[in-house]
Amino acid sequence: MLEVQGLSESEVTMGNSVTIGRNVKIRPSSYYGIGHIGAGMRIGNNSSIGPEGYIGCAGFVDIGNDVMIGPNVTMIAENHNFKDGSHTIKSQGVNQRGITIENNVWIGANVMTLDGVTIHEGAIIGATTLVNKDVPENAIYFNKRQVFIKHRDS
């Protein structure tokens, strides 16, 4: 079963020849009682999302063309504010910077991508990597700590 929530401030759109695997969840709005309608997402042409993925697109998620996203990948384009210890985390709200994945990117299985990240064109993210900062063009990252390995040959 595919679950797509279309209620968003902007859009939830898919280009031509997009493939989305079984049990993928695309959710622009929050489940945590904050009452916020999310920004939405765009998936470019010839891109795919493997089965069991989760895309929380409260902040806009922009996936380019020819992007391969493996199974069990999670993207969370939102982060809770928590700086004020005298108030509950829930009452401090959230911020959404969004996630951008440029063209020709390969994201391996079980990758977690957090809010505010841009994965630049041609990058490869190895399985189980936590992506919490921008990834340069044609870079290969693999490790739960997002350790830079090398650049691809152009």
Side-chain angles (χ1 to χ4, degrees):
M1 174 193 337
L2 171 66
E3 177 186 321
V4 178
Q5 295 178 358
L7 180 62
S8 64
E9 292 178 354
S10 181
E11 62 188 6
V12 175
T13 60
M14 297 177 198
N16 295 321
S17 301
V18 168
T19 303
I20 298 179
R22 184 183 312 250
N23 295 326
V24 170
K25 295 169 182 66
I26 298 172
R27 297 180 177 163
S29 299
S30 175
Y31 274 149
Y32 300 109
I34 297 170
H36 177 77
I37 295 176
M41 71 175 293
R42 180 191 75 85
I43 303 173
N45 297 327
N46 305 309
S47 291
S48 60
I49 301 173
E52 307 293 336
Y54 178 88
I55 300 177
C57 44
F60 196 76
V61 174
D62 190 7
I63 299 171
N65 299 320
D66 302 303
V67 172
M68 298 178 293
I69 299 172
N72 300 306
V73 167
T74 300
M75 297 180 192
I76 306 291
E78 175 175 75
N79 199 2
H80 289 269
N81 300 317
F82 54 86
K83 190 171 187 175
D84 186 348
S86 66
H87 291 86
T88 65
I89 295 168
K90 188 174 183 177
S91 71
Q92 294 180 58
V94 296
N95 59 73
Q96 298 104 2
R97 296 180 303 174
I99 294 171
T100 300
I101 301 170
E102 294 183 349
N103 299 330
N104 188 33
V105 168
W106 175 21
I107 298 175
N110 298 301
V111 169
M112 166 77 76
T113 303
L114 300 180
D115 189 39
V117 166
T118 296
I119 300 174
H120 290 278
E121 187 163 347
I124 298 171
I125 311 297
T128 73
T129 300
L130 171 64
V131 184
N132 61 0
K133 59 186 173 187
D134 290 354
V135 176
E137 185 173 317
N138 293 316
I140 299 171
Y141 277 85
F142 176 78
N143 194 304
K144 290 186 181 198
R145 294 170 300 188
Q146 193 177 341
V147 174
F148 174 73
I149 297 173
K150 63 180 179 178
H151 277 92
R152 293 175 53 206
D153 294 332
S154 296

